[in-house]
Amino acid sequence: MLRHEFQPGKLVAGLSLTAAGAVFAGDAGGLWDVPWFAIVPLVVGGLCLAGATATLARAIRRRGGAESG
């Protein structure tokens, strides 16, 4: 298996979209009642958090690479 670098921004994005899917799956299953517009802050908030995480990870990588190389 080929190795690749860890990308925490994609992990956060995937987890937030999975959480949004779980919320609406629970709504569809009748576990709770979620308004249709609740998906907007869930997805937008998760994507903003993922972007911030990716930016921070990239800044740390660049800074670490400059010191060690």
Side-chain angles (χ1 to χ4, degrees), residues 13-34 38-39 42-43:
L15 289 175
S16 66
L17 292 175
T18 301
V23 166
F24 278 93
D27 182 33
L31 296 175
W32 52 77
D33 187 32
V34 180
I39 193 74
L42 285 173
V43 171

Side-chain angles (χ1 to χ4, degrees), residues 55-69:
T55 302
L56 181 63
R58 183 174 177 162
I60 290 171
R61 279 201 186 108
R62 282 187 173 201
R63 184 173 157 205
E67 290 177 358
S68 65

